[in-house]
């Protein structure tokens, strides 16, 4: 079975923006990673905000090809996201990050590619476990 990792906004932006200091590292990681990256749809929206048009298009094509797994967040789970946002209000958690906490719980995943070390070191899954931050 292929390993699955959650991809946060920071990784997707670093992968798509040549000027990002983490660009080379993001590509080196992608070249050697044999598993599958998954993310939540709000992360795609957030990443597009930080990318130029060319990089935005590349991200959307990558996600549309099925190589990057993208999970939609149904409105029926918004109350659950609200609980997460309330729980981490002191960290100013946003909708996108709350959606990754939800995705991790739903998919049984803990490993995440993120630059948001302080927050994802703090966030907990429903079972109380921490995210495992993957170096890249």
């Amino acid at each position: 079975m292929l390993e699955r990792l959650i991809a946060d906004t920071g990784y997707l932006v670093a992968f798509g923006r040549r000027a990002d200091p983490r660009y080379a590292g993001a590509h080196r990681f992608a070249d050697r990673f044999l598993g599958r990256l998954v993310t939540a749809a709000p992360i795609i929206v957030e990443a597009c905000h930080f990318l130029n048009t060319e990089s935005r298009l590349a991200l959307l094509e990558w996600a549309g090809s099925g190589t990057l797994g993208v999970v939609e967040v149904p409105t029926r789970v918004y109350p659950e996201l609200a609980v997460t946002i309330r729980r981490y209000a002191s960290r100013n958690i946003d909708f996108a990050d709350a959606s990754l906490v939800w995705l991790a719980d739903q998919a049984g995943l803990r490993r995440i590619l993120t630059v948001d070390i302080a927050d994802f070191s703090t966030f907990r899954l429903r079972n109380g476990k921490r995210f495992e931050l993957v170096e890249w």
Side-chain angles (χ1 to χ4, degrees), residues 4 6 101-111 125 127:
R4 294 183 307 155
I6 295 174
V101 174
W102 170 80
L103 172 61
D105 278 328
Q106 293 302 303
L109 300 174
R110 291 181 40 218
R111 293 174 45 85
L125 303 179
N127 62 10

Side-chain angles (χ1 to χ4, degrees), residues 48-121:
C48 282
H49 174 76
F50 294 106
L51 295 171
N52 65 25
T53 301
E54 181 182 333
S55 297
R56 237 180 259 142
L57 292 170
L59 175 59
L60 294 174
E61 288 171 8
W62 182 28
S65 74
T67 306
L68 171 64
V70 179
V71 177
E72 294 296 332
V73 180
T75 55
R76 67 178 162 67
V77 302
Y78 283 16
E80 189 176 332
L81 298 183
V83 168
T84 300
I85 291 169
R86 191 172 295 112
R87 180 181 313 133
Y88 296 109
S90 66
R91 297 228 48 98
N92 199 27
I93 186 174
D94 62 18
F95 183 85
D97 286 352
S99 75
L100 289 183
V101 174
W102 170 80
L103 172 61
D105 278 328
Q106 293 302 303
L109 300 174
R110 291 181 40 218
R111 293 174 45 85
I112 187 168
L113 294 167
T114 186
V115 298
D116 196 357
I117 305 302
D119 285 340
F120 280 96
S121 293

